Amino acid sequence: SAVCTPAGSGSIATRAAEDQVELVVSDNGHGMAPDVLSRCFEPFFTTKPVGQGPGLGTAACRGTVAPFGGTLRAASVPGAGA
């Protein structure tokens, strides 16, 4: 599925992988620097200005899938989206 917004576009795909289901989310954003990527699942970590987001989105997602044996991974490079 494709998702388009004024700021860019992204896609969401699912696939079976052995005994797991993969949900792959990608976008054409500006990407993440290595220091941001290494912290992107930390609760309250955000690159947004104060008051623009608490930095809980990815941490909440990780906390939701972990009890079911799920994992989240992120891959990105500056200038290439995620």
Side-chain angles (χ1 to χ4, degrees):
S1 298
V3 178
C4 296
T5 68
S9 65
S11 65
I12 301 171
T14 58
R15 64 179 175 219
E18 297 182 25
D19 62 341
Q20 302 175 7
V21 174
E22 290 184 351
L23 173 70
V24 181
V25 180
S26 60
D27 65 42
N28 67 346
H30 55 77
M32 291 185 277
D35 61 318
V36 172
L37 182 61
S38 69
R39 299 185 62 199
C40 72
F41 293 110
E42 287 181 21
F44 304 107
F45 174 75
T46 182
T47 59
K48 295 178 182 176
V50 173
Q52 296 296 309
L56 291 173
T58 56
C61 289
R62 182 173 267 180
T64 300
V65 302
F68 299 99
T71 60
L72 293 179
R73 293 178 290 157
S76 182
V77 294

